[in-house]
Amino acid sequence: MASIKDVAAQAGVSVATVSRVLNSHPSVSPDARRRVLAAVEALGYRPNTLARSLRTDQTRTLGLVISDVLNPYFTALARSVEEEARALGYSVIIGNADEQPEQQDHHVRTLLDRRIDGLLVSPADGDSPLLHDVARAGTPMVFVDRWMPGVDVPVVRADGHRAIQDLVAHLYALGHRRLAIIAGPAATTTGNERVEAFRAAMSAHGLALPDAYIGQGDFQAASGRRATEQFLALPQPPEIVFAADNLMALGALDAIRAHGLRVPGDIGLAAFDDIPWFVHTGPPITAIAQPTGELGRAAVRALVDIVEGRPPQSVTLPARLVVRGSCGERSGEPPLPASGPRSNA
Amino acid sequence: MASIKDVAAQAGVSVATVSRVLNSHPSVSPDARRRVLAAVEALGYRPNTLARSLRTDQTRTLGLVISDVLNPYFTALARSVEEEARALGYSVIIGNADEQPEQQDHHVRTLLDRRIDGLLVSPADGDSPLLHDVARAGTPMVFVDRWMPGVDVPVVRADGHRAIQDLVAHLYALGHRRLAIIAGPAATTTGNERVEAFRAAMSAHGLALPDAYIGQGDFQAASGRRATEQFLALPQPPEIVFAADNLMALGALDAIRAHGLRVPGDIGLAAFDDIPWFVHTGPPITAIAQPTGELGRAAVRALVDIVEGRPPQSVTLPARLVVRGSCGERSGEPPLPASGPRSNA
DNA sequence: CTGAAAGCGCTTACAG
DNA sequence: CTGAAAGCGCTTACAG
């Protein structure tokens, strides 16, 4: 690979001059600039970002640690993060925690070793001493979707309280009383909050949420399967299962189908997170939609604000209920759920 | 951030000695090693990979450019790539082309600027002069899933011919004669090959594939929607639509539903790529499954072979047909498709 | 076993 | 406007 020296030699100038034209420093003669550009072109020269970053102490790179790449929610989040970052002149490196704290920390460390300018993380289960240290050390950082109490960094997330209230009201109106939830890990904020919001909303309707109706999941499909199996083995199974994310809803569907049961006739299903496939399941799944794109963009803006020395802003956006047929219909059998075309983005 | 100098000072040795213990060079006295390790611990020292890579001219990182992060197939591929790479001591940086050649080239350049040791790419539509250059320049590279003719690098991919023959035989046996395909971009190998395999298989049954039954898609959902709309507007619409990837199948479903039609009663659907949701759609979707995890792992092994100076191997793995209900049933209405629990990985 | 020194490819005061 | 030189944080012959 051609280095800046080669370019300098070919252009007949010093490396300092080459560097100046590369960084569009004003004081370069038109002639020198021309010769340098020609040499760059001729040699197919590309600056070595490692060397540049080592010298300038900035990488113009953001790290993003997501909880699970197989989860369409995080994948959509990653996409919007990357777009916004690029628009602001940064690139992003993604790490997949796979819902495992050790793997999360592994990626955080790797990212830090690469000297990223800032870190976006959606913390996996449990507390991470490492993340505390990182924040304390002053590394620019923001939490997205999930956050860790006691770590003083901006948080960008969706608030599902209202949507969960709407969901419970919807279920209540349909006549359902035995509502169960498949929760995420208690140590994650989204795991915890969704259960508590669900419990509070039920309580507002005079309904209790017995322990047997709280399935312990980990946001991955297999756990949704297991929790649903347990619900179905109960003497009095729930009428509705609310999965705290889309993958656990997938697992729930697997279990329901394996038992030869029908949704919503035998048991109803609702999910947190809305994904394009929910329109096409049999029946379509009632879900709570997050403004995923907005979250990703706001998170990047907050992080870049910190990196560039501006005051960052925590952002909380509302989630919203999307009623479909998976918990039963208010009025008999519908001829055909005529939902229009749906964007994939 | 503490640097190697700080560690050296704290341990009372030279930076050379610190470097030696960090790289487990044999000739270091036990005492020096102990003091260095203590200093590392005390300072929370982490080597700066930028500096190390600049010096050693290797980054121990692989670049992966996938066609679309929103496509579960690529997301699964990315996951297996990352796992295998980690097992071999490499980390990977992912770039999302979003099916756009310019964005692909952008990521290839960014990755190269970071001096990755090798590049894994699934080329987007069209020819990329850049990729030709990269290969010619001797950068370790392998194609995965899709490849570009004329670029002499190993290819790791699935062969769908046999599975497509099986699919057509299945459709034929069900009595279907008017088969349509939603193709990927003609310039992608997977776009092209799947159409040709489909055409050949039909021809073996004495069936023609009229141009009107070839929808031009781009592997993304919206194009599947558009192509299906066009099929449905035909005087004689097809009986079956075969989508060349899962996202276009999603789009097809959107269009079919928007028209108030039923699968398979009004029109049948099959897809290349199998994803967990296909089990739960109404009805479950007949699909061609790729050995995605295997592909990702084989691609990494081939790339690392090149990087480390061993002879690499191209790999072609068979895809296989998974028959479900979306093209009709051989024998009346089944009581319940009793598919067992399904792994998400 | 250990350290001084060179050098990887850049950027950026400093002097002219 | 331009170049020589220092220095970012490492690694690695070289000499001892």
Side-chain angles (χ1 to χ4, degrees), chain B residues 238-318:
Chain B
E239 296 160 307
I240 299 287
V241 172
F242 172 45
D245 88 336
N246 76 80
L247 289 180
M248 297 194 295
L250 171 63
L253 236 28
D254 286 339
I256 291 169
R257 169 169 287 261
H259 279 253
L261 300 178
R262 291 220 173 260
V263 175
D266 299 313
I267 190 164
L269 180 68
F272 208 102
D273 290 346
D274 193 17
I275 65 169
W277 290 103
F278 280 176
V279 178
H280 298 297
T281 46
I285 297 178
T286 291
I288 292 176
Q290 298 195 54
T292 319
E294 271 311 309
L295 290 175
R297 285 187 287 274
V300 170
R301 283 192 296 262
L303 185 56
V304 169
D305 279 342
I306 303 180
V307 169
E308 301 182 352
R310 292 182 298 270
Q313 224 173 350
S314 281
V315 175
T316 303
L317 265 23

Side-chain angles (χ1 to χ4, degrees), chain B:
Chain B
M1 285 238 138
S3 84
I4 197 172
K5 274 187 197 164
D6 302 313
V7 177
Q10 169 113 0
V13 297
S14 71
V15 298
T17 296
V18 175
S19 177
R20 288 195 189 94
V21 351
L22 258 25
N23 295 289
S24 19
H25 185 101
S27 49
V28 179
S29 71
D31 183 54
R33 178 182 311 280
R34 204 174 308 118
R35 298 217 306 282
V36 167
L37 260 17
V40 164
E41 177 69 21
L43 296 171
Y45 169 73
R46 301 234 91 212
N48 182 329
T49 50
L50 300 177
R52 171 177 289 175
S53 294
L54 180 60
R55 184 53 232 253
T56 61
D57 202 37
Q58 54 158 305
T59 51
R60 291 245 121 203
T61 103
L62 271 20
L64 168 66
V65 179
I66 57 176
S67 311
D68 188 355
V69 243
L70 296 184
N71 188 141
Y73 167 72
F74 286 110
T75 239
L77 189 70
R79 185 180 195 265
S80 68
V81 163
E82 207 270 334
E83 277 181 355
E84 183 71 7
R86 182 142 33 103
L88 298 179
Y90 289 79
S91 58
V92 1
I93 302 183
I94 301 173
N96 169 33
D98 221 357
E99 299 291 358
Q100 294 165 29
E102 319 76 48
Q103 206 163 314
Q104 161 188 287
D105 285 1
H106 165 80
H107 279 114
V108 169
R109 258 186 282 265
T110 301
L111 257 7
L112 258 23
D113 290 349
R114 287 182 193 280
R115 298 303 190 263
I116 50 162
D117 292 340
L119 185 64
L120 230 42
V121 15
S122 175
D125 188 16
D127 194 50
S128 167
L130 174 61
L131 250 22
H132 276 92
D133 290 349
V134 172
R136 206 174 307 123
T139 304
M141 174 165 145
V142 352
F143 284 131
V144 58
D145 182 56
R146 312 195 318 207
W147 49 286
M148 275 172 46
V151 178
D152 185 30
V153 302
V155 177
V156 174
R157 65 188 192 93
D159 181 358
H161 280 85
R162 182 57 194 275
I164 288 177
Q165 281 170 22
D166 291 347
L167 171 64
V168 170
H170 165 69
L171 299 174
Y172 192 90
L174 290 175
H176 301 304
R177 297 296 179 266
R178 300 197 310 278
L179 317 182
I181 183 170
I182 306 176
T188 58
T189 47
T190 48
N192 201 43
E193 286 170 359
R194 289 171 195 174
V195 178
E196 291 318 319
F198 194 62
R199 188 199 304 280
M202 285 179 67
S203 151
H205 287 272
L207 265 29
L209 179 59
D211 283 350
Y213 281 6
I214 303 178
Q216 195 46 65
D218 62 5
F219 285 131
Q220 301 197 131
S223 72
R225 227 141 40 217
R226 276 194 304 275
T228 304
E229 294 286 354
Q230 289 171 17
F231 290 152
L232 296 177
L234 253 26
Q236 174 105 298
E239 296 160 307
I240 299 287
V241 172
F242 172 45
D245 88 336
N246 76 80
L247 289 180
M248 297 194 295
L250 171 63
L253 236 28
D254 286 339
I256 291 169
R257 169 169 287 261
H259 279 253
L261 300 178
R262 291 220 173 260
V263 175
D266 299 313
I267 190 164
L269 180 68
F272 208 102
D273 290 346
D274 193 17
I275 65 169
W277 290 103
F278 280 176
V279 178
H280 298 297
T281 46
I285 297 178
T286 291
I288 292 176
Q290 298 195 54
T292 319
E294 271 311 309
L295 290 175
R297 285 187 287 274
V300 170
R301 283 192 296 262
L303 185 56
V304 169
D305 279 342
I306 303 180
V307 169
E308 301 182 352
R310 292 182 298 270
Q313 224 173 350
S314 281
V315 175
T316 303
L317 265 23
R320 71 173 215 290
L321 176 67
V322 179
V323 173
R324 289 192 274 254
S326 63
C327 297
E329 301 285 343
R330 215 172 294 250
S331 49
E333 285 294 82
L336 242 189
S339 76
R342 215 171 156 294
S343 156
N344 179 46

